[in-house]
Amino acid sequence: MTRYPSPTENVGCLRGVLAVPLVLLHLIAAGCCSLALTIRPAGTWDDDARAGMVLACVLTLATSALALLITVAPSVRRAMGPWWSAPPLLLGAVAAVRWALVD
């Protein structure tokens, strides 16, 4: 008789396959967020620095949204667990606050 694997037996392989793009997206979002937090304008006239901060915030929000979209899919949530949605939510919140505080 043929034995078919149960859905829980394939979770380990699926977890490894899904972790790679999620970790890459989290690293990209963290890099953009840290860039948004470290850019400082030289003065009130420095519009380029403000544009760089806004761009870094937008990239952080976009990357975090993509990672969150992947994470909330039912098959991914079942295999990976709910804590994988914490980094994109945290990085997105930090980027949104930074974007709101750009003068």
Side-chain angles (χ1 to χ4, degrees), residues 33-95:
C33 189
S34 70
L35 186 63
L37 292 173
T38 57
I39 294 176
R40 300 279 183 237
T44 57
W45 48 267
D46 197 0
D47 293 330
D48 291 335
R50 285 184 185 77
M53 286 188 286
V54 169
L55 178 63
C57 290
V58 167
L59 289 174
T60 302
L61 288 171
T63 310
S64 295
L66 181 59
L68 196 59
L69 268 173
I70 292 171
T71 306
V72 298
S75 60
V76 177
R77 197 176 52 228
R78 188 172 38 250
M80 302 296 283
W83 72 271
W84 279 85
S85 60
L89 288 173
L90 179 68
L91 290 169
V94 169

